[in-house]
Amino acid sequence: MTSTIVVGLDGHGSGERALAHAEHLAKLIGECDLIVAYIVEWSPYSFQTPEENAERHKRREEEISTAKERVVDSSIEKLITSGLKATGIVRHGDVATALNAISEENNAIQIVVGRSSEGGFAKRIFGSATSNLVMSASVPVTVVA
Amino acid sequence: MKNIQTLLLSLMAIVGFSGSALAQEAMSLDQKVNEVFAAVTGPFVSLIFAPLPGTSFPWIVMWLVVAATIFTFYFGFVQFRFFKHAIQLVKGDYSDPNDAGEVSHFQALATALSGTVGLGNIAGVAVAVGIGGPGATFWMILAGLMGMATKFTECTLGVKYRNEYKDGTVSGGPMYYISKGFDELGLPGGKILAVLFSVFCILGALGGGNMFQANQAHAQIAGIVGDYPGWITGIIFAAVVFAVIVGGIKSIASVTEKVVPFMGLLYVGAALIILLVNFDKIGWAFGQIFDGAFTGLGVAGGFVGALIQGFKRAAFSNEAGVGSAAIAHSAVKTSEPITEGFVSLLEPFIDTVVICTMTALVITISGQLVMDPATGQFLLNDAGTAIQTIGGVSGVALTSAAFGSSISWFPYVLAIAVILFAFSTMISWSYYGLKAWTYLFGEGKTSELTFKIIFCVFIVIGAAASLGPVIDFSDAAIFAMAVVNIFALYFLMKIVKKELHSYSSRLAAGAIKKFKN
């Protein structure tokens, strides 16, 4: 039976290390597919100007294609050249919720993420995306330093 | 960003250095602006506010209330039947997770609200209660509840007939639903009505969406730092608005959009605290509201005076029937236009039934309105046009005094709130006006820039003119939009009814997918 691992990327160095670790795991497991996920942080409860609303659909498409081009596609390519099966997903939403949803939809056995790089005031109040994921995920989570 | 700072700093320097010598000259400039403005807009204002023959009741107020009543009955009290469903929609219970990243119902509602919640709720209510007495509140709440059905009608149409362009942007509003809807029904004159609406929308954007805001923001600042010429406030405001809408400095707008809801909550919170502290007077205040609604308690024009003021301010505050909200709501992501109609009916509720009522209660409880203790009737001011107030204040200054009598430092918070509300309303209306402008003159850089510059010039005029002519013109321009919009809605309402039937039967049959519980 094939197993699946979800890797969460954030476009930074920690994402790269998460990817490398997931690649290593997949090779050890053997029959293992990888899903490379990039989450565009977004909340349906934010406040916007009328103009931003009018252009929202256009911006969303742009955000998705930028994430694909800059982060997801190159990662998939790298995995495929090293002999693994990999697919990519770009989605908007809360990072922890979206990664967990992706892992549930694909019956993943594990989520691998980098330690998040955000900091400051917001982190103190709401916690980082990584710690939120660790606390709420329904599958094991590996956090790569 | 650096440029604006320099600009603002140099403006401040001018203001500081040239002080009193300039003030003399400026006062006369303010007066001149005022005179010319009143003369030019006078005939338009008298036409819109002409009384019904043989009465003192302005026909336009009747027009709005009759429309709200007709829509309420025609859609079988949709505002009460679908109130709960509207809240579920805003919470996202029916939102497809695959649409994450698109404009949500919540965002469309919040954007529309930040265009309407503002001075109408703070200054407008004070004007209504100051002239019409506490009884005006009763009619205001009634008009707010009925207005929910009007808003539902126009916003459903706004989404249904919006333009979706190839580049992924959307444009919607009465000008689109009037022309497309009339074509679909095979009715003539849609295009003419759409053009007429756009003309009034531009005037409304310059009036209520701009001059009234600038004027009251200036009144607030002058109330705190002392009197100084209005055009100075005007130029500073115009510079900041210019930076946002022409310079594309989005950060200013997005900061405002985040601070404004917070200010709104703070305002309601402060009102609630004042009401809680004076909870023994709440019963009395409601008594005043009901008594005043039917007897007037001695206000100018008796109970009809209270009714006119209540209806007028409700319409001005929540803009139901005006058509502006249809522009704001039309960007939402949904395959069911009617869902946005349901969501939009929450707007008059939050704006008028909740926030305006808070203001009215605080003013009533504060005792700022002078009452003859012997008769229980209000005393009128010397001119006999409004109720006497402590210190003779009106408009936003009355609200400020009322809050200040319980929480001494609140006027400062209120001043900041008023300035921010004024600013966010200007940003919203600059967009509504722009959409009407591009509908008339086509999209394109030059055409858009022309409107934006005119818009900024009017900020200066609005801040310099005095409240009377500005409020008259602002009301008149916004109500003129409602004349065209509601006329068209009578023809288009059967389209909305069809949507309502289809949606409610599918909802009852469980065919509308719920994603969250």
Side-chain angles (χ1 to χ4, degrees):
Chain A
M1 200 192 118
T2 321
S3 10
T4 306
I5 292 178
V6 173
V7 199
L9 296 187
D10 59 0
H12 295 105
S14 60
E16 289 299 312
R17 291 192 292 278
L19 191 71
H21 182 70
E23 189 184 334
H24 178 65
L25 281 181
K27 283 181 178 160
L28 288 178
I29 293 169
E31 292 246 324
C32 183
D33 295 351
L34 287 171
I35 296 176
V36 177
Y38 183 94
I39 312 299
V40 183
E41 185 72 54
W42 181 85
S43 161
Y45 306 113
S46 62
F47 295 93
Q48 308 198 88
T49 62
E51 205 165 358
E52 283 170 337
N53 278 349
E55 289 177 349
R56 189 59 224 156
H57 181 68
K58 185 179 157 189
R59 296 266 171 272
R60 178 180 185 261
E61 304 295 300
E62 285 169 1
E63 284 159 6
I64 292 174
S65 63
T66 313
K68 276 210 169 106
E69 277 166 30
R70 293 208 189 141
V71 186
V72 178
D73 286 354
S74 59
S75 307
I76 296 175
E77 214 170 294
K78 217 165 84 190
L79 294 171
I80 290 174
T81 43
S82 68
L84 288 162
K85 268 212 248 163
T87 47
I89 294 179
V90 177
R91 193 176 284 188
H92 283 73
D94 170 65
V95 175
T97 319
L99 282 178
N100 192 42
I102 292 170
S103 78
E104 282 178 351
E105 285 158 25
N106 297 284
N107 293 318
I109 54 161
Q110 195 177 130
I111 303 172
V112 181
V113 288
R115 189 188 286 158
S116 54
S117 46
E118 72 210 277
F121 190 59
K123 188 175 173 179
R124 281 170 201 278
I125 295 180
F126 303 112
S128 71
T130 309
S131 56
N132 286 346
L133 179 67
V134 169
M135 285 191 281
S136 64
S138 43
V139 293
V141 177
T142 303
V143 180
V144 179
Chain B
M1 199 65 202
K2 194 124 200 205
N3 290 338
I4 308 160
Q5 275 174 356
T6 331
L7 185 62
L8 283 179
L9 283 177
S10 36
L11 271 171
M12 303 246 215
I14 297 171
V15 177
F17 283 123
S18 36
S20 59
L22 202 68
Q24 203 71 24
E25 220 173 287
M27 273 318 196
S28 65
L29 181 68
D30 277 12
Q31 274 167 11
K32 197 157 265 167
V33 169
N34 202 25
E35 261 169 43
V36 173
F37 182 72
V40 171
T41 56
F44 173 61
V45 172
S46 340
L47 180 69
I48 293 290
F49 290 115
L52 289 170
T55 65
S56 60
F57 204 98
W59 70 275
I60 184 71
V61 175
M62 192 58 110
W63 173 258
L64 289 164
V65 174
V66 167
T69 314
I70 290 176
F71 295 134
T72 299
F73 281 102
Y74 186 74
F75 295 112
F77 293 89
V78 64
Q79 62 266 61
F80 304 119
R81 285 197 293 137
F82 286 90
F83 192 83
K84 195 177 151 213
H85 187 60
I87 292 173
Q88 291 174 327
L89 286 165
V90 173
K91 274 166 55 197
D93 292 359
Y94 290 87
S95 305
D96 186 343
N98 289 325
D99 288 339
E102 302 277 5
V103 178
S104 65
H105 283 301
F106 177 90
Q107 283 166 331
L109 177 67
T111 304
L113 266 175
S114 74
T116 58
V117 173
L119 287 169
N121 307 69
I122 301 174
V125 174
V127 171
V129 177
I131 300 174
T137 317
F138 175 85
W139 301 110
M140 198 170 66
I141 295 174
L142 190 68
L145 289 172
M146 305 286 250
M148 291 164 78
T150 313
K151 199 78 124 183
F152 159 78
T153 317
E154 58 187 5
C155 290
T156 302
L157 290 167
V159 176
K160 188 172 165 71
Y161 293 106
R162 64 185 165 187
N163 273 7
E164 291 177 66
Y165 300 105
K166 276 213 181 84
D167 70 352
T169 58
V170 291
S171 275
M175 48 281 184
Y176 297 100
Y177 65 65
I178 294 173
S179 57
K180 287 189 195 174
F182 272 51
D183 277 355
E184 201 176 292
L185 295 173
L187 294 167
K191 188 82 189 166
I192 300 168
L193 284 174
V195 167
L196 203 57
F197 174 84
S198 300
V199 171
F200 290 142
C201 182
I202 291 165
L203 292 179
L206 298 176
N210 177 337
M211 298 176 66
F212 176 67
Q213 312 294 329
N215 187 284
Q216 290 291 287
H218 171 68
Q220 266 298 299
I221 302 171
I224 288 180
V225 305
D227 203 19
Y228 68 97
W231 58 266
I232 296 175
T233 312
I235 287 179
I236 296 173
F237 255 81
V240 182
V241 171
F242 187 87
V244 175
I245 64 177
V246 180
I249 316 276
K250 291 233 168 76
S251 53
I252 302 177
S254 52
V255 167
T256 321
E257 292 304 311
K258 283 170 188 67
V259 177
V260 161
F262 172 73
M263 281 293 180
L265 289 179
L266 193 66
Y267 183 78
V268 173
L272 277 176
I273 289 171
I274 294 177
L275 295 181
L276 277 179
V277 171
N278 296 292
F279 83 103
D280 53 318
K281 285 193 197 156
I282 294 179
W284 171 82
F286 273 108
Q288 290 277 299
I289 289 172
F290 284 109
D291 282 354
F294 299 102
T295 66
L297 292 173
V299 304
F303 102 91
V304 180
L307 184 144
I308 293 174
Q309 283 303 324
F311 280 170
K312 226 168 113 170
R313 288 297 120 203
F316 188 70
S317 169
N318 66 42
E319 296 168 15
V322 168
S324 51
I327 304 176
H329 280 279
S330 59
V332 73
K333 170 73 185 181
T334 179
S335 51
E336 301 278 356
I338 201 149
T339 55
E340 196 54 29
F342 294 137
V343 167
S344 73
L345 62 77
L346 295 174
E347 214 188 304
F349 184 82
I350 298 170
D351 179 279
T352 309
V353 181
V354 178
I355 304 182
C356 285
T357 306
M358 293 277 177
T359 308
L361 281 173
V362 170
I363 294 176
T364 307
I365 284 178
S366 74
Q368 295 290 316
L369 304 171
V370 182
M371 184 179 258
D372 182 350
T375 59
Q377 301 270 303
F378 288 106
L379 296 173
L380 296 185
N381 61 7
D382 295 339
T385 49
I387 299 172
Q388 241 182 59
T389 53
I390 297 172
V393 290
S394 68
V396 72
L398 175 57
T399 312
S400 187
F403 275 85
S405 67
S406 289
I407 308 175
S408 61
W409 47 265
F410 198 74
Y412 298 101
V413 178
L414 192 67
I416 297 169
V418 164
I419 294 162
L420 285 169
F421 283 153
F423 183 71
S424 80
T425 306
M426 279 182 197
I427 299 291
S428 296
W429 274 93
S430 75
Y431 179 77
Y432 304 157
L434 181 68
K435 286 286 125 185
W437 181 272
T438 53
Y439 182 81
L440 291 178
F441 303 109
E443 296 181 24
K445 281 245 152 32
T446 329
S447 152
E448 291 181 10
L449 188 65
T450 314
F451 173 76
K452 288 171 177 175
I453 290 172
I454 296 174
F455 192 84
C456 289
V457 170
F458 268 80
I459 297 176
V460 183
I461 303 177
S466 69
L467 180 62
V470 167
I471 212 171
D472 286 348
F473 172 71
S474 303
D475 286 4
I478 281 184
F479 288 149
M481 292 166 69
V483 174
V484 183
N485 186 39
I486 288 175
F487 177 78
L489 288 182
Y490 286 137
F491 292 96
L492 300 172
M493 64 184 183
K494 60 181 172 199
I495 298 173
V496 181
K497 189 152 201 177
K498 216 191 253 170
E499 297 263 332
L500 180 61
H501 272 311
S502 150
Y503 186 86
S504 56
S505 56
R506 277 179 293 140
L507 186 66
I512 305 290
K513 193 168 176 207
K514 203 170 178 185
F515 292 92
K516 255 197 275 178
N517 283 311

